[in-house]
Amino acid sequence: MRLFYKCKKLDIASGGDPIVVLREQEAENQGIRPGDRVILKWSKNKSVIASVSVSDNKVDFGEVGLFEEIWKKNQIDAEDIVEIMFYSRPESVKAISKKILGKQLNYEEIYSIICDISSGKLGAIETTYYVASSFIKPYTLDELYYVTKAMAECGEKLNLKERVVDKHSIGGIPGNRTTMIVVPIIASLGLPIPKTSSRAITSPSGTADTMEVLAPVELSMEKIKKVIAQTGACMVWGGAINMAPADDIIIKVSKPLSLEPYDKMIISILAKKVAMGVDYLVIDLPYGPTAKVHSKKTAKLIAKKFVAVGKRFNIKIAVEMLEAQEPIGAGIGPALEARDVLRVLQQHKRRPMDLEKKSIYLAGKLLELKGFCPKGQGEKIAGQQLKSLAAWEKMRAIIKAQGGNSKIKADEVALGALNYELHAKKSGRIVAIDNKAIEEVCVNLGAPREKLAGIHMHCRLGDRVAKGQKLYTLYAQNDSRLELGLIAARNNAVVKIK
Amino acid sequence: MRLFYKCKKLDIASGGDPIVVLREQEAENQGIRPGDRVILKWSKNKSVIASVSVSDNKVDFGEVGLFEEIWKKNQIDAEDIVEIMFYSRPESVKAISKKILGKQLNYEEIYSIICDISSGKLGAIETTYYVASSFIKPYTLDELYYVTKAMAECGEKLNLKERVVDKHSIGGIPGNRTTMIVVPIIASLGLPIPKTSSRAITSPSGTADTMEVLAPVELSMEKIKKVIAQTGACMVWGGAINMAPADDIIIKVSKPLSLEPYDKMIISILAKKVAMGVDYLVIDLPYGPTAKVHSKKTAKLIAKKFVAVGKRFNIKIAVEMLEAQEPIGAGIGPALEARDVLRVLQQHKRRPMDLEKKSIYLAGKLLELKGFCPKGQGEKIAGQQLKSLAAWEKMRAIIKAQGGNSKIKADEVALGALNYELHAKKSGRIVAIDNKAIEEVCVNLGAPREKLAGIHMHCRLGDRVAKGQKLYTLYAQNDSRLELGLIAARNNAVVKIK
């Protein structure tokens, strides 16, 4: 089959795989059934793989209806002519089957899987099998390297002339927004630090979600280069620039089970560093009972893999393993975290000191790793940049360059209009704070999609509290979300008093 | 959130998960995003889980648009009021994660997964993880029993008073349509044999697809009971009666990788036998280089599991392991196979004798297993039923009871209007026929969806052929499919001559 159709833009967005609509009778004549996948091809060798829906009155014979996902992402006009072709299963499904059956893959096989995921040739189900396959047998070091390389190769890359430093947190600790403090500290010292971050996978906010409260983070590669030229830094969402695009698709199918195996995490982080041309990297790898990594032993194993894979790419990596038993900072959720970050950068009197301290520590380590200063001197230099407000000045420049409001004061950050305070049911000492429970409550409150939703903690581990004392406040943007958050807060022991 | 919406039937079918369309602004106000899943609930406690699409002009505020899948399958009228609720992830995802991480599941956990797959609470991605999880660690005998039991329990059951016999082929050998001959033989002897079959998973035709050429196979449970009362038998598609409904959903997500692990096969077959109340079962388990099972050794292992799981349900099972190196019968594809079946039942002079012989053999084994006759007598009795046309008379009754044309002659079966003959490129002896290659060609020709498409073989293993002699004929319903079939035939060595 090879057929030409006139485009009709449909005003429907599915939020998922691209969908095209064909006239029912016409599809039948062509041997195409609803749910089949086809290749939609148009000028300049551009194409997408789409699922077919059929309809009798939405499109005419000779017409193909396009869901918003297709015509918003690609430059297709109504009346444009596109070609529709049968889609045959790509060879890469054989490689996925091989891995599912427990066999090792070579670089060609891995490259074919990753590129076919990136281009949409493999759909959600095939990608899910690929993700699941990594549980059959752990990746060898070679496989880790191959997947990381393929991920970086199958997307856009940033090629700066200078040597680039970076800092990355593996996530899992609510409120841990050190990146937004470390980046301006480092950049204020003249070291290039172009930072791409992710949106939340299963947590209430990723760095990209939080930064978005202050400035746009979905910038084009061109615009990013401009921001870097102006400020020596940037803080953008990696997903917007088609960098290691397979990663975001993989993240999407990992969501339903909240699966994030360590190997996948290493790949996901390093692929983007390779694409950004990073040379020196400090990784923040917190561990603790309710963190992503539970023990120091596991943390060390992961650190070893990070360093080993990094070496294959000539990236010098230092992994900082800090114990974490509670959130960093007081706010959890995009807006609440952005307020904390601004408080630290603006040296506000009510700034969260734990967040400041950790940021200085990590910035210091990065300075030392790069050889910017002798060992033991990094923290002092980093702290000075905060105190002198040089880091805040740099942050303002970055916010402005990315198109945000650089005059914002910490206490001007808008929070959810609805809030609800939770109080201690008895007096005693706080013996545990459950990071996972906090995240579950925040997600139910609507974070990260609803930027103003989240939790503000009024207490910390070890505090003595009296019965009836305020423990934390829920913020939400609408009643139904506040109710869901409250149910989650009541079903989970967020704060344990003894 | 708890909101009531007026239904609007949309004329779009996606062929996949149910989709509802909300007004974009309204969805946003509710904190619902495209791709989110919601519960759609209406009178009599009926509900479906659906994915949300958004649109500005397809639906009004207060309206919810329903894709065809929803309003065709359920009795919902336009203007009906439905309730839309947030969908929260079911507990069963935790059980899937547990299995993915290599742990064993108990009956409660397995039951929750299977029932949530059946009801649509778990979507395609979660179901894919569940299917993939069976590759992490093989099922224990307990797990096999649990899954089989849960599959049967989470669907409809047939409760006949009499003891029921059955015959099942594991599939994988093209053209192997013995069921449609064994069932009328057995029923003509007065033994109740209510047969549910599947549609093809990855092959060009399943028994249900082939039977559908002769009579409707999507019958309601009520109608099936009527057919059984009239004829003592039936040949219907199991998927239509919500019997072990999880199985069809699992099959759907298994398709993209063509995965069919043996354990899944055992579960899939036995769950339906349990639901049908089968007491005696003969299983046709062919093995061979291009069959589903490659060696006698593996066949024996599978047979052992079949018998062991069957025992837990008090089903007496005999597994027949026959070597198979080429198709059974000459036709492959629904219509071509139906013609072969009719030729055998009508004792046509050009009937495929291999198909007749195997059917008599299996029917004989079933008669002996049930104790209908002494060992060694079964084949003789079965063969007599064919020769006397008693089996054909029974088949006519079944076709008639199910609503088909009981007067059809074998040579009246319509075949694809387009055909193409393939000829021997050299003289020699046929040393191999590749079942998998045949299936690939047939699938490309459009089978099983396009009923009249497929292959008719003119040669058999061991035949001497002259250069230019006809080897097989391709049948298709349209040009584009014929072209795809031809490409596949040229890329695959269907027949090997030496």
Side-chain angles (χ1 to χ4, degrees), chain B residues 90 92 107-122 147 149-155 245-246 249-250:
Chain B
S92 49
Y107 184 59
E108 287 67 32
E109 290 166 324
I110 287 176
Y111 184 85
S112 75
I113 296 173
I114 298 298
C115 280
D116 285 350
I117 290 175
S118 311
S119 66
K121 278 189 195 155
L122 292 170
V147 180
K149 190 171 154 72
M151 281 243 184
E153 292 299 331
C154 295
I249 301 170
I250 287 171

PDB file of all heavy atoms in Angstrom, chain B residues 90 92 107-122 147 149-155 245-246 249-250:
ATOM      1  N   PRO B  90      -4.288   0.538  41.171  1.00  0.00           N
ATOM      2  CA  PRO B  90      -4.727  -0.565  42.028  1.00  0.00           C
ATOM      3  C   PRO B  90      -3.550  -1.210  42.759  1.00  0.00           C
ATOM      4  O   PRO B  90      -2.407  -1.140  42.289  1.00  0.00           O
ATOM      5  CB  PRO B  90      -5.364  -1.550  41.048  1.00  0.00           C
ATOM      6  CG  PRO B  90      -4.694  -1.276  39.750  1.00  0.00           C
ATOM      7  CD  PRO B  90      -4.348   0.181  39.753  1.00  0.00           C
ATOM      8  N   SER B  92      -2.738  -4.126  42.863  1.00  0.00           N
ATOM      9  CA  SER B  92      -2.110  -5.234  42.140  1.00  0.00           C
ATOM     10  C   SER B  92      -0.808  -4.843  41.445  1.00  0.00           C
ATOM     11  O   SER B  92       0.000  -5.713  41.142  1.00  0.00           O
ATOM     12  CB  SER B  92      -3.091  -5.832  41.130  1.00  0.00           C
ATOM     13  OG  SER B  92      -3.674  -4.813  40.351  1.00  0.00           O
ATOM     14  N   TYR B 107      -1.697 -16.823  46.137  1.00  0.00           N
ATOM     15  CA  TYR B 107      -2.926 -16.821  45.339  1.00  0.00           C
ATOM     16  C   TYR B 107      -3.638 -15.477  45.358  1.00  0.00           C
ATOM     17  O   TYR B 107      -4.131 -15.019  44.331  1.00  0.00           O
ATOM     18  CB  TYR B 107      -3.882 -17.935  45.792  1.00  0.00           C
ATOM     19  CG  TYR B 107      -5.123 -18.011  44.930  1.00  0.00           C
ATOM     20  CD1 TYR B 107      -5.010 -18.247  43.558  1.00  0.00           C
ATOM     21  CD2 TYR B 107      -6.390 -17.811  45.461  1.00  0.00           C
ATOM     22  CE1 TYR B 107      -6.121 -18.291  42.734  1.00  0.00           C
ATOM     23  CE2 TYR B 107      -7.521 -17.865  44.640  1.00  0.00           C
ATOM     24  CZ  TYR B 107      -7.388 -18.092  43.281  1.00  0.00           C
ATOM     25  OH  TYR B 107      -8.485 -18.126  42.465  1.00  0.00           O
ATOM     26  N   GLU B 108      -3.685 -14.826  46.525  1.00  0.00           N
ATOM     27  CA  GLU B 108      -4.367 -13.530  46.622  1.00  0.00           C
ATOM     28  C   GLU B 108      -3.737 -12.525  45.657  1.00  0.00           C
ATOM     29  O   GLU B 108      -4.423 -11.765  44.976  1.00  0.00           O
ATOM     30  CB  GLU B 108      -4.299 -12.969  48.048  1.00  0.00           C
ATOM     31  CG  GLU B 108      -5.199 -13.668  49.057  1.00  0.00           C
ATOM     32  CD  GLU B 108      -4.789 -15.098  49.339  1.00  0.00           C
ATOM     33  OE1 GLU B 108      -3.571 -15.413  49.296  1.00  0.00           O
ATOM     34  OE2 GLU B 108      -5.687 -15.940  49.575  1.00  0.00           O
ATOM     35  N   GLU B 109      -2.409 -12.502  45.632  1.00  0.00           N
ATOM     36  CA  GLU B 109      -1.716 -11.546  44.763  1.00  0.00           C
ATOM     37  C   GLU B 109      -1.985 -11.848  43.293  1.00  0.00           C
ATOM     38  O   GLU B 109      -2.270 -10.945  42.494  1.00  0.00           O
ATOM     39  CB  GLU B 109      -0.207 -11.575  45.053  1.00  0.00           C
ATOM     40  CG  GLU B 109       0.127 -10.974  46.412  1.00  0.00           C
ATOM     41  CD  GLU B 109       1.538 -11.287  46.887  1.00  0.00           C
ATOM     42  OE1 GLU B 109       2.037 -12.404  46.621  1.00  0.00           O
ATOM     43  OE2 GLU B 109       2.143 -10.428  47.537  1.00  0.00           O
ATOM     44  N   ILE B 110      -1.906 -13.117  42.949  1.00  0.00           N
ATOM     45  CA  ILE B 110      -2.143 -13.493  41.550  1.00  0.00           C
ATOM     46  C   ILE B 110      -3.593 -13.203  41.162  1.00  0.00           C
ATOM     47  O   ILE B 110      -3.863 -12.671  40.087  1.00  0.00           O
ATOM     48  CB  ILE B 110      -1.776 -14.984  41.332  1.00  0.00           C
ATOM     49  CG1 ILE B 110      -0.249 -15.112  41.352  1.00  0.00           C
ATOM     50  CG2 ILE B 110      -2.369 -15.509  40.025  1.00  0.00           C
ATOM     51  CD1 ILE B 110       0.265 -16.518  41.241  1.00  0.00           C
ATOM     52  N   TYR B 111      -4.511 -13.517  42.065  1.00  0.00           N
ATOM     53  CA  TYR B 111      -5.928 -13.256  41.804  1.00  0.00           C
ATOM     54  C   TYR B 111      -6.162 -11.760  41.543  1.00  0.00           C
ATOM     55  O   TYR B 111      -6.884 -11.371  40.636  1.00  0.00           O
ATOM     56  CB  TYR B 111      -6.757 -13.737  42.990  1.00  0.00           C
ATOM     57  CG  TYR B 111      -8.247 -13.609  42.804  1.00  0.00           C
ATOM     58  CD1 TYR B 111      -8.968 -14.603  42.153  1.00  0.00           C
ATOM     59  CD2 TYR B 111      -8.931 -12.487  43.264  1.00  0.00           C
ATOM     60  CE1 TYR B 111     -10.337 -14.490  41.972  1.00  0.00           C
ATOM     61  CE2 TYR B 111     -10.308 -12.356  43.084  1.00  0.00           C
ATOM     62  CZ  TYR B 111     -11.000 -13.363  42.441  1.00  0.00           C
ATOM     63  OH  TYR B 111     -12.351 -13.241  42.250  1.00  0.00           O
ATOM     64  N   SER B 112      -5.509 -10.918  42.356  1.00  0.00           N
ATOM     65  CA  SER B 112      -5.705  -9.463  42.196  1.00  0.00           C
ATOM     66  C   SER B 112      -5.178  -8.994  40.839  1.00  0.00           C
ATOM     67  O   SER B 112      -5.798  -8.163  40.171  1.00  0.00           O
ATOM     68  CB  SER B 112      -5.029  -8.690  43.339  1.00  0.00           C
ATOM     69  OG  SER B 112      -3.621  -8.657  43.176  1.00  0.00           O
ATOM     70  N   ILE B 113      -4.048  -9.530  40.414  1.00  0.00           N
ATOM     71  CA  ILE B 113      -3.505  -9.138  39.106  1.00  0.00           C
ATOM     72  C   ILE B 113      -4.462  -9.567  37.991  1.00  0.00           C
ATOM     73  O   ILE B 113      -4.834  -8.764  37.130  1.00  0.00           O
ATOM     74  CB  ILE B 113      -2.121  -9.794  38.847  1.00  0.00           C
ATOM     75  CG1 ILE B 113      -1.082  -9.290  39.854  1.00  0.00           C
ATOM     76  CG2 ILE B 113      -1.649  -9.507  37.418  1.00  0.00           C
ATOM     77  CD1 ILE B 113       0.260 -10.022  39.767  1.00  0.00           C
ATOM     78  N   ILE B 114      -4.848 -10.826  38.014  1.00  0.00           N
ATOM     79  CA  ILE B 114      -5.663 -11.371  36.921  1.00  0.00           C
ATOM     80  C   ILE B 114      -7.023 -10.658  36.852  1.00  0.00           C
ATOM     81  O   ILE B 114      -7.505 -10.306  35.777  1.00  0.00           O
ATOM     82  CB  ILE B 114      -5.841 -12.896  37.086  1.00  0.00           C
ATOM     83  CG1 ILE B 114      -4.482 -13.599  37.029  1.00  0.00           C
ATOM     84  CG2 ILE B 114      -6.784 -13.453  36.020  1.00  0.00           C
ATOM     85  CD1 ILE B 114      -3.726 -13.449  35.737  1.00  0.00           C
ATOM     86  N   CYS B 115      -7.621 -10.420  38.017  1.00  0.00           N
ATOM     87  CA  CYS B 115      -8.932  -9.760  37.997  1.00  0.00           C
ATOM     88  C   CYS B 115      -8.811  -8.305  37.551  1.00  0.00           C
ATOM     89  O   CYS B 115      -9.683  -7.797  36.845  1.00  0.00           O
ATOM     90  CB  CYS B 115      -9.614  -9.860  39.355  1.00  0.00           C
ATOM     91  SG  CYS B 115     -10.377 -11.482  39.540  1.00  0.00           S
ATOM     92  N   ASP B 116      -7.728  -7.635  37.942  1.00  0.00           N
ATOM     93  CA  ASP B 116      -7.549  -6.244  37.522  1.00  0.00           C
ATOM     94  C   ASP B 116      -7.208  -6.143  36.038  1.00  0.00           C
ATOM     95  O   ASP B 116      -7.556  -5.147  35.386  1.00  0.00           O
ATOM     96  CB  ASP B 116      -6.478  -5.551  38.383  1.00  0.00           C
ATOM     97  CG  ASP B 116      -7.007  -5.225  39.777  1.00  0.00           C
ATOM     98  OD1 ASP B 116      -8.229  -5.367  39.985  1.00  0.00           O
ATOM     99  OD2 ASP B 116      -6.217  -4.840  40.651  1.00  0.00           O
ATOM    100  N   ILE B 117      -6.551  -7.157  35.500  1.00  0.00           N
ATOM    101  CA  ILE B 117      -6.345  -7.186  34.040  1.00  0.00           C
ATOM    102  C   ILE B 117      -7.701  -7.383  33.363  1.00  0.00           C
ATOM    103  O   ILE B 117      -8.057  -6.674  32.429  1.00  0.00           O
ATOM    104  CB  ILE B 117      -5.366  -8.306  33.626  1.00  0.00           C
ATOM    105  CG1 ILE B 117      -3.939  -7.976  34.086  1.00  0.00           C
ATOM    106  CG2 ILE B 117      -5.396  -8.521  32.107  1.00  0.00           C
ATOM    107  CD1 ILE B 117      -2.914  -9.079  33.835  1.00  0.00           C
ATOM    108  N   SER B 118      -8.487  -8.315  33.892  1.00  0.00           N
ATOM    109  CA  SER B 118      -9.805  -8.626  33.301  1.00  0.00           C
ATOM    110  C   SER B 118     -10.702  -7.400  33.254  1.00  0.00           C
ATOM    111  O   SER B 118     -11.425  -7.173  32.290  1.00  0.00           O
ATOM    112  CB  SER B 118     -10.518  -9.707  34.108  1.00  0.00           C
ATOM    113  OG  SER B 118      -9.678 -10.797  34.344  1.00  0.00           O
ATOM    114  N   SER B 119     -10.672  -6.611  34.326  1.00  0.00           N
ATOM    115  CA  SER B 119     -11.612  -5.496  34.433  1.00  0.00           C
ATOM    116  C   SER B 119     -11.072  -4.212  33.819  1.00  0.00           C
ATOM    117  O   SER B 119     -11.755  -3.202  33.812  1.00  0.00           O
ATOM    118  CB  SER B 119     -11.932  -5.240  35.899  1.00  0.00           C
ATOM    119  OG  SER B 119     -10.765  -4.780  36.554  1.00  0.00           O
ATOM    120  N   GLY B 120      -9.851  -4.239  33.320  1.00  0.00           N
ATOM    121  CA  GLY B 120      -9.280  -3.044  32.712  1.00  0.00           C
ATOM    122  C   GLY B 120      -8.661  -2.085  33.728  1.00  0.00           C
ATOM    123  O   GLY B 120      -8.217  -1.000  33.363  1.00  0.00           O
ATOM    124  N   LYS B 121      -8.629  -2.495  34.999  1.00  0.00           N
ATOM    125  CA  LYS B 121      -7.996  -1.613  35.995  1.00  0.00           C
ATOM    126  C   LYS B 121      -6.503  -1.523  35.736  1.00  0.00           C
ATOM    127  O   LYS B 121      -5.877  -0.508  36.018  1.00  0.00           O
ATOM    128  CB  LYS B 121      -8.255  -2.142  37.408  1.00  0.00           C
ATOM    129  CG  LYS B 121      -9.609  -1.755  37.942  1.00  0.00           C
ATOM    130  CD  LYS B 121      -9.739  -2.104  39.413  1.00  0.00           C
ATOM    131  CE  LYS B 121     -11.203  -2.060  39.823  1.00  0.00           C
ATOM    132  NZ  LYS B 121     -11.470  -2.898  40.984  1.00  0.00           N
ATOM    133  N   LEU B 122      -5.933  -2.587  35.257  1.00  0.00           N
ATOM    134  CA  LEU B 122      -4.546  -2.551  34.808  1.00  0.00           C
ATOM    135  C   LEU B 122      -4.557  -2.341  33.298  1.00  0.00           C
ATOM    136  O   LEU B 122      -5.278  -3.040  32.588  1.00  0.00           O
ATOM    137  CB  LEU B 122      -3.834  -3.856  35.165  1.00  0.00           C
ATOM    138  CG  LEU B 122      -3.610  -4.122  36.657  1.00  0.00           C
ATOM    139  CD1 LEU B 122      -3.129  -5.547  36.884  1.00  0.00           C
ATOM    140  CD2 LEU B 122      -2.600  -3.138  37.239  1.00  0.00           C
ATOM    141  N   VAL B 147      -2.494 -19.160  38.816  1.00  0.00           N
ATOM    142  CA  VAL B 147      -2.841 -18.287  37.696  1.00  0.00           C
ATOM    143  C   VAL B 147      -3.989 -18.905  36.901  1.00  0.00           C
ATOM    144  O   VAL B 147      -4.950 -18.218  36.519  1.00  0.00           O
ATOM    145  CB  VAL B 147      -1.623 -18.034  36.764  1.00  0.00           C
ATOM    146  CG1 VAL B 147      -2.025 -17.125  35.611  1.00  0.00           C
ATOM    147  CG2 VAL B 147      -0.479 -17.401  37.544  1.00  0.00           C
ATOM    148  N   LYS B 149      -6.288 -20.970  37.928  1.00  0.00           N
ATOM    149  CA  LYS B 149      -7.509 -20.870  38.726  1.00  0.00           C
ATOM    150  C   LYS B 149      -8.065 -19.438  38.691  1.00  0.00           C
ATOM    151  O   LYS B 149      -9.254 -19.221  38.453  1.00  0.00           O
ATOM    152  CB  LYS B 149      -7.173 -21.269  40.171  1.00  0.00           C
ATOM    153  CG  LYS B 149      -8.371 -21.441  41.093  1.00  0.00           C
ATOM    154  CD  LYS B 149      -7.892 -22.062  42.419  1.00  0.00           C
ATOM    155  CE  LYS B 149      -8.800 -21.694  43.575  1.00  0.00           C
ATOM    156  NZ  LYS B 149     -10.097 -22.361  43.526  1.00  0.00           N
ATOM    157  N   ALA B 150      -7.167 -18.467  38.897  1.00  0.00           N
ATOM    158  CA  ALA B 150      -7.606 -17.063  38.906  1.00  0.00           C
ATOM    159  C   ALA B 150      -8.207 -16.682  37.551  1.00  0.00           C
ATOM    160  O   ALA B 150      -9.243 -16.012  37.479  1.00  0.00           O
ATOM    161  CB  ALA B 150      -6.426 -16.142  39.240  1.00  0.00           C
ATOM    162  N   MET B 151      -7.567 -17.135  36.480  1.00  0.00           N
ATOM    163  CA  MET B 151      -8.071 -16.837  35.131  1.00  0.00           C
ATOM    164  C   MET B 151      -9.485 -17.353  34.960  1.00  0.00           C
ATOM    165  O   MET B 151     -10.345 -16.674  34.396  1.00  0.00           O
ATOM    166  CB  MET B 151      -7.193 -17.557  34.108  1.00  0.00           C
ATOM    167  CG  MET B 151      -5.926 -16.841  33.858  1.00  0.00           C
ATOM    168  SD  MET B 151      -5.920 -16.349  32.132  1.00  0.00           S
ATOM    169  CE  MET B 151      -4.317 -15.649  32.048  1.00  0.00           C
ATOM    170  N   ALA B 152      -9.715 -18.587  35.405  1.00  0.00           N
ATOM    171  CA  ALA B 152     -11.041 -19.185  35.257  1.00  0.00           C
ATOM    172  C   ALA B 152     -12.046 -18.478  36.172  1.00  0.00           C
ATOM    173  O   ALA B 152     -13.176 -18.176  35.764  1.00  0.00           O
ATOM    174  CB  ALA B 152     -10.981 -20.670  35.575  1.00  0.00           C
ATOM    175  N   GLU B 153     -11.626 -18.172  37.400  1.00  0.00           N
ATOM    176  CA  GLU B 153     -12.522 -17.558  38.379  1.00  0.00           C
ATOM    177  C   GLU B 153     -12.965 -16.151  37.973  1.00  0.00           C
ATOM    178  O   GLU B 153     -14.057 -15.713  38.319  1.00  0.00           O
ATOM    179  CB  GLU B 153     -11.846 -17.487  39.765  1.00  0.00           C
ATOM    180  CG  GLU B 153     -11.612 -18.829  40.440  1.00  0.00           C
ATOM    181  CD  GLU B 153     -12.911 -19.587  40.712  1.00  0.00           C
ATOM    182  OE1 GLU B 153     -13.963 -18.944  40.900  1.00  0.00           O
ATOM    183  OE2 GLU B 153     -12.872 -20.836  40.708  1.00  0.00           O
ATOM    184  N   CYS B 154     -12.062 -15.413  37.311  1.00  0.00           N
ATOM    185  CA  CYS B 154     -12.366 -14.014  36.974  1.00  0.00           C
ATOM    186  C   CYS B 154     -13.161 -13.894  35.670  1.00  0.00           C
ATOM    187  O   CYS B 154     -13.098 -12.872  34.996  1.00  0.00           O
ATOM    188  CB  CYS B 154     -11.080 -13.190  36.868  1.00  0.00           C
ATOM    189  SG  CYS B 154     -10.221 -13.046  38.429  1.00  0.00           S
ATOM    190  N   GLY B 155     -13.870 -14.935  35.291  1.00  0.00           N
ATOM    191  CA  GLY B 155     -14.679 -14.838  34.079  1.00  0.00           C
ATOM    192  C   GLY B 155     -15.912 -15.704  34.196  1.00  0.00           C
ATOM    193  O   GLY B 155     -16.192 -16.264  35.256  1.00  0.00           O
ATOM    194  N   PRO B 245     -11.358 -13.853  30.684  1.00  0.00           N
ATOM    195  CA  PRO B 245     -11.151 -12.665  29.832  1.00  0.00           C
ATOM    196  C   PRO B 245      -9.733 -12.103  29.897  1.00  0.00           C
ATOM    197  O   PRO B 245      -9.275 -11.461  28.952  1.00  0.00           O
ATOM    198  CB  PRO B 245     -12.154 -11.649  30.387  1.00  0.00           C
ATOM    199  CG  PRO B 245     -12.456 -12.107  31.784  1.00  0.00           C
ATOM    200  CD  PRO B 245     -12.343 -13.598  31.746  1.00  0.00           C
ATOM    201  N   ALA B 246      -9.021 -12.355  30.989  1.00  0.00           N
ATOM    202  CA  ALA B 246      -7.654 -11.841  31.090  1.00  0.00           C
ATOM    203  C   ALA B 246      -6.788 -12.410  29.973  1.00  0.00           C
ATOM    204  O   ALA B 246      -5.871 -11.755  29.488  1.00  0.00           O
ATOM    205  CB  ALA B 246      -7.052 -12.192  32.447  1.00  0.00           C
ATOM    206  N   ILE B 249      -6.607 -10.382  26.802  1.00  0.00           N
ATOM    207  CA  ILE B 249      -5.875  -9.132  26.994  1.00  0.00           C
ATOM    208  C   ILE B 249      -4.377  -9.423  27.032  1.00  0.00           C
ATOM    209  O   ILE B 249      -3.563  -8.697  26.455  1.00  0.00           O
ATOM    210  CB  ILE B 249      -6.351  -8.438  28.294  1.00  0.00           C
ATOM    211  CG1 ILE B 249      -7.856  -8.169  28.205  1.00  0.00           C
ATOM    212  CG2 ILE B 249      -5.578  -7.155  28.532  1.00  0.00           C
ATOM    213  CD1 ILE B 249      -8.482  -7.704  29.507  1.00  0.00           C
ATOM    214  N   ILE B 250      -4.031 -10.515  27.674  1.00  0.00           N
ATOM    215  CA  ILE B 250      -2.625 -10.916  27.746  1.00  0.00           C
ATOM    216  C   ILE B 250      -2.107 -11.274  26.355  1.00  0.00           C
ATOM    217  O   ILE B 250      -0.991 -10.918  25.977  1.00  0.00           O
ATOM    218  CB  ILE B 250      -2.462 -12.091  28.739  1.00  0.00           C
ATOM    219  CG1 ILE B 250      -2.623 -11.560  30.169  1.00  0.00           C
ATOM    220  CG2 ILE B 250      -1.126 -12.788  28.559  1.00  0.00           C
ATOM    221  CD1 ILE B 250      -2.707 -12.615  31.237  1.00  0.00           C
TER     222      ILE B 250
END
